[in-house]
Amino acid sequence: MALWAVRSAQAQDVPRGVLQFLRRHEEEEAQHLKQFELLLGTNSHGKAALPRMPSQWRVLAVHLYGYEALGLEFASLLVGLRPDLTSILEDEEVHVGFFEHEVRAILVQGGSDADGARQAAQAWRRRLPRTVHRYLHDESLAAFRGELQQHILDVIDARFLAVGLLARPHQHDS
């Protein structure tokens, strides 16, 4: 997901420093994908069309921050099983940190940009339980799915609260 979102985001009107980061980020995500393909002995299917991404920077920044935070949680779980993949976790920490900084910069400005970012966060957060459930669909996770999903939602809520995107904890609508 992240690779395609990052590619698509580069076509949007983003600040110059962000575009440079997205280009480097795309390379890292492509490397991660190759690692997973080698580990799993399979090739992923490239998408025929890139996903649509928000065109307003304040919304796009929240969108990317949310998905990077989600990716970080999955990387944390992965490293618990495969400590040799710590480099992926380290990359994800950098990605989350970058977009967290960008979101904070939007929120510090206040006004309609900050309000728009918070509204985007609420909309993104409403879709999150379905996304996490879809990512945890594998039957091997059935016994742990509820606990994993709750943990992931709690961690992302805490991130969104800490950065100022959410005013209060979100009710989990798993």
Side-chain angles (χ1 to χ4, degrees):
M1 165 68 190
L3 176 61
W4 311 114
V6 168
R7 281 185 182 160
S8 183
Q10 290 177 54
Q12 303 304 322
D13 185 20
V14 299
R16 182 174 171 78
V18 172
L19 186 57
Q20 291 169 346
F21 179 83
L22 288 172
R23 287 182 179 141
R24 188 176 71 246
H25 184 7
E26 179 182 358
E27 292 172 18
E28 292 167 352
E29 292 296 336
Q31 289 174 338
H32 297 169
L33 182 60
K34 285 180 185 176
Q35 278 183 284
F36 286 120
E37 288 175 339
L38 287 172
L39 284 171
L40 299 173
T42 184
N43 287 328
S44 65
H45 302 296
K47 295 190 179 254
L50 294 175
R52 288 190 352 220
M53 297 297 283
S55 60
Q56 294 178 325
W57 172 236
R58 64 182 181 234
V59 178
L60 179 58
V62 168
H63 189 89
L64 292 171
Y65 176 57
Y67 278 112
E68 291 301 331
L70 182 57
L72 177 60
E73 287 313 302
F74 280 104
S76 296
L77 294 171
L78 175 65
V79 168
L81 300 170
R82 292 288 308 259
D84 59 315
L85 298 176
T86 300
S87 65
I88 293 173
L89 177 65
E90 292 167 351
D91 285 346
E92 292 303 317
E93 288 170 341
V94 169
H95 303 159
V96 168
F98 179 85
F99 288 109
E100 184 173 290
H101 173 79
E102 293 297 319
V103 166
R104 283 185 193 273
I106 291 167
L107 295 175
V108 165
Q109 292 175 4
S112 63
D113 281 349
D115 292 343
R118 287 185 182 97
Q119 289 171 359
Q122 289 172 359
W124 186 87
R125 178 53 185 83
R126 279 192 300 272
R127 294 187 305 272
L128 183 59
R130 289 188 306 275
T131 302
V132 172
H133 184 76
R134 188 173 64 246
Y135 288 177
L136 297 174
H137 78 277
D138 192 273
E139 284 309 309
S140 65
L141 299 172
F144 312 101
R145 188 176 295 123
E147 185 177 332
L148 280 172
Q149 184 166 350
Q150 187 66 50
H151 169 76
I152 291 168
L153 295 174
D154 287 346
V155 169
I156 291 176
D157 282 350
R159 280 192 174 280
F160 275 37
L161 280 164
V163 80
L165 285 171
L166 295 178
R168 57 181 166 66
H170 198 280
Q171 295 296 337
H172 295 293
D173 43 358
S174 314

